[in-house]
Amino acid sequence: MRVTTRLFCLGASVLLAVAGQTGAAGARGLPDTYVVSRAPGVLPEGIAVARDGTVYVSSDGTGRLFRGHVGDPELRPFAARGIDDRTSTLGVHTDRRGRVYSVGGASLTVHDERGRLLARRTAEDGPLGTADLNDLVITRDAVYVTDWANPVVHRAELRHGRLGPLRPWLDIRGANPRFPARYWLLNGIVADREGGTLLVASNGTEALWRVDTSSREVEQVRLGEESFGADGMVLRGRTLYAVINYGAPSGVYVAELSQDLRTGAVRHRITGEPFDLPTTLARHGCRLYVVNSQLDDPPGEPPYTVSAIADPSCPRTA
């Protein structure tokens, strides 16, 4: 989920205003805005919301993790051991047991809810050099990780809760051999419920790629003429939630995909305010939690925040 605006930034513009988003988000007394940190230089990047409402946010600026709850507008540092040498943490997710998986640099780490380090795996160098891990998805039998610096998806096997070595699993260049290897810029990654299909975002190609985990066949997801170089993503059934900050107006895009996840159409676009260069999002209930990274102007200006908005795909209630 490393934002492409490090290469150049597209100014935010309003493509479609969704009326009442922030008001609806706070209708049940939950905050519209969450403060990740008031310390300078944090630059939040990734986010996960566990089933119980626990929120985890990663820091691209410091490598630290922060933790809070959807009912509390202030997050606090999460004492995750064994990552003091990691200066940047990007993707962060939780599993059904509440364990916290995160990536940064060349390392994938797993922590328990107390911050104890359960596992640390280091990615091998790719065809272009040292790995720069970006985002991850946890399936029943594996963790898949994208690499920003190499056109490679890495995989670590999960067996009885134990994490295996992190190894290169797929060189995605075969899907478009003419595209320059250094510009694939792999970013967000999600999986279907069974773990048989991955969707991998590529900032460089401005496209979304479908990967069959059995055959490793790769094909582009057809979304009409839509530029879809997504950053972070969430897949819920056939509904794909994505943050885009490159190649299209910056904001949250919600697409409805076909049953086989090969085609789809964008149904909702939420751009402009209240976002400040969003990088990724999480979904909990009928709310979307969107990270305001400020990565277009580092080190940004505290406080660093997460915005909560109503999920436009949720049924409306009176």
Side-chain angles (χ1 to χ4, degrees), residues 48-281:
V49 182
R51 289 184 174 187
D52 64 357
T54 301
V55 180
Y56 293 92
V57 174
S58 64
S59 167
D60 189 7
T62 68
R64 300 191 70 177
L65 291 167
F66 296 83
R67 181 170 64 183
H69 191 272
V70 294
D72 187 342
E74 295 273 348
L75 278 68
R76 296 165 183 80
F78 175 54
R81 300 178 180 88
I83 60 170
D84 292 342
D85 62 335
R86 197 159 76 186
T87 58
S88 171
T89 299
L90 302 178
V92 56
H93 292 281
T94 60
D95 65 12
R96 295 183 178 183
R97 296 167 62 177
R99 295 176 298 189
V100 184
Y101 293 68
S102 63
V103 294
S107 72
L108 162 65
T109 55
V110 186
H111 292 87
D112 67 13
E113 294 169 303
R114 297 182 180 181
R116 292 181 297 188
L117 182 64
L118 302 178
R120 177 167 177 150
R121 302 291 182 263
T122 301
E124 300 174 17
D125 291 353
L128 303 183
T130 304
D132 187 2
L133 305 182
N134 197 314
D135 198 9
L136 68 143
V137 65
I138 306 163
T139 69
R140 295 175 182 175
D141 60 1
V143 178
Y144 296 90
V145 185
T146 55
D147 190 333
W148 173 262
N150 295 277
V152 171
V153 177
H154 304 265
R155 181 182 187 271
E157 184 179 17
L158 276 174
R159 182 177 294 181
H160 306 301
R162 293 181 178 273
L163 188 68
L166 184 61
R167 295 182 172 131
W169 177 75
L170 173 68
D171 188 324
I172 204 167
R173 287 178 293 179
N176 189 353
R178 295 184 179 180
F179 194 82
R182 67 185 181 277
Y183 293 137
W184 271 90
L185 306 176
L186 298 186
N187 218 314
I189 183 170
V190 293
D192 65 358
R193 186 184 298 271
E194 292 75 24
T197 301
L198 306 178
L199 299 180
V200 179
S202 164
N203 278 165
T205 62
E206 295 185 33
L208 185 65
W209 300 87
R210 180 188 187 276
V211 180
D212 185 302
T213 58
S214 296
S215 65
R216 305 192 199 187
E217 293 181 358
V218 184
E219 60 185 291
Q220 185 176 344
V221 179
R222 300 298 174 183
L223 295 165
E225 299 301 318
E226 197 82 30
S227 172
F228 214 87
D231 204 327
M233 302 186 295
V234 170
L235 180 64
R236 182 174 180 266
R238 294 191 293 114
T239 303
L240 179 70
Y241 304 85
V243 168
I244 294 180
N245 47 45
Y246 168 67
S250 178
V252 173
Y253 289 62
V254 184
E256 193 68 21
L257 304 181
S258 61
Q259 188 170 356
D260 59 8
L261 306 183
R262 284 185 164 89
T263 62
V266 174
R267 301 302 185 194
H268 304 278
R269 302 169 178 84
I270 308 166
T271 60
E273 297 297 338
F275 307 132
D276 192 347
L277 196 74
T279 45
T280 190
L281 77 169

